[in-house]
């Protein structure tokens, strides 16, 4: 009988503790997470691969060699910015890297860099922009395949 009471307590107590009401907490950082040109931060508008060099080119998941890595980035102030263009295989191993550094004026910039990689494989493109004031941003990974 004691064992039955113990088993019932074990089964009922977790059920009682999880039967409370759901608590919804407002996301207080929702506005800060959105890119806003009034904020003093660097942010990417686009970061992907393109079949050819063309301003505001669409994202091309299938590219031929040579292809372009394209970023459209907002910078809040005029200073020297370092750009790192990283291509990894799908498992994260480095397979390509380009580097650029120049002074950019505040505003939005379209920047391209050429790559040529082994065809038939999946890759991930990631860009990093770092200002002389040490503010930085990292793009989302963009997955693409080189077909020829």
């Amino acid at each position: 009988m004691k064992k039955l009471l113990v088993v019932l307590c074990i089964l009922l107590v977790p059920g009682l503790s999880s039967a409370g009401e759901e608590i919804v907490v407002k996301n207080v950082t929702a506005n800060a997470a959105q890119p806003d040109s009034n904020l003093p931060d660097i942010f990417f508008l686009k970061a992907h691969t393109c079949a050819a060099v063309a301003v505001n080119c669409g994202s091309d998941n299938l590219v031929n060699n040579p292809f372009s890595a394209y970023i459209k980035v907002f910078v809040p102030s005029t200073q020297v910015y370092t750009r790192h263009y990283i291509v990894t295989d799908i498992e994260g191993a480095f397979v390509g890297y380009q580097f650029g550094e120049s002074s950019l004026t505040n505003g939005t910039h379209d920047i391209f860099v050429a790559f040529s990689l082994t065809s038939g494989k999946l890759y991930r493109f990631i860009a990093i922009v770092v200002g002389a004031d040490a503010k930085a941003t990292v793009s989302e990974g963009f997955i693409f395949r080189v077909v020829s």
Side-chain angles (χ1 to χ4, degrees), residues 51-103:
V53 175
V55 174
N56 287 326
C57 67
S59 56
D60 294 324
N61 294 91
L62 300 174
V63 295
N64 295 316
N65 281 316
F67 62 92
S68 294
Y70 167 62
I71 64 171
K72 183 171 194 146
V73 64
F74 172 82
V75 295
S77 59
T78 301
Q79 62 180 317
V80 174
Y81 289 91
T82 304
R83 281 109 39 210
H84 303 272
Y85 307 95
I86 301 164
V87 177
T88 68
D89 65 13
I90 202 66
E91 295 173 347
F94 279 116
V95 295
Y97 175 78
Q98 297 282 344
F99 170 88
E101 182 177 84
S102 64
S103 180

Side-chain angles (χ1 to χ4, degrees), residues 116-133:
S116 187
L117 300 169
T118 304
S119 61
K121 295 185 177 183
L122 275 177
Y123 297 101
R124 180 177 291 124
F125 169 65
I126 301 165
I128 303 171
V129 176
V130 183
D133 61 358

